[in-house]
Amino acid sequence: MQDTTENAGVPRLLDAPAFVDGRGSLGVLEGAALPFDIARIYYLYDVPIGAVRGEHGHKRLHQLMICMHGQTEITLNDGNQQYPFTLSTPGQVLYVPPGMWRRLRFVMPETVVCVLASRPYEVDDYIYEYEDFLTWVRQGKKQQD
């Protein structure tokens, strides 16, 4: 998995190493190659087509999002710029740094999205209202948290 520290605050797609032969594909994510240590793994599934998940921001949480099956459209926003992504293969992993508002729209049936997170669930890390997120960004809290 390719990652560079100069892009630490920028969301981006990373290629996940895979081993492919006649038996299928084996995707591999190893700790030393990840941009953070994993503290939690969760996954989204049985989401109706067209439904939206996310719609919140995180102050400190780093995430890697993997579409294991199906397709999802993800829009990230840092308060100044939007970053649109489409995930439809487990061979690409989306790195989401802290300080991003996220919106996931599920566009295919039976889509499964797996998320690797840098921290356990912490209610005070979430920002649920977009206006509160923009205020947090404008106040420079993004650099402090």
Side-chain angles (χ1 to χ4, degrees), residues 7-122:
N7 291 329
V10 178
R12 62 201 172 280
L13 290 173
L14 306 171
D15 292 324
F19 300 92
V20 181
D21 64 26
R23 300 169 295 165
S25 300
L26 170 69
V28 177
L29 299 175
E30 292 189 341
L34 300 178
F36 57 84
D37 292 332
I38 298 167
R40 179 170 55 125
I41 299 171
Y42 63 93
Y43 41 96
L44 306 164
Y45 63 100
D46 288 341
V47 179
I49 296 173
V52 172
R53 298 292 309 245
E55 300 228 281
H56 62 267
H58 287 285
K59 300 172 186 174
R60 300 174 299 272
L61 188 72
H62 295 259
Q63 295 177 317
L64 292 173
M65 295 183 180
I66 308 164
C67 186
M68 304 306 287
H69 179 77
Q71 183 173 323
T72 186
E73 298 169 350
I74 301 172
T75 303
L76 303 175
N77 181 328
D78 64 6
N80 297 302
Q81 182 177 347
Q82 286 200 37
Y83 302 88
F85 297 93
T86 298
L87 293 180
S88 59
T89 174
Q92 286 195 313
V93 179
L94 177 60
Y95 170 64
V96 182
M100 292 284 159
W101 187 263
R102 79 259 354 271
R103 182 178 194 273
L104 290 79
R105 184 172 169 272
F106 286 68
V107 296
M108 287 184 64
E110 301 180 14
T111 294
V112 178
V113 175
C114 181
V115 181
L116 312 177
S118 66
R119 303 173 69 91
Y121 174 78
E122 299 167 316

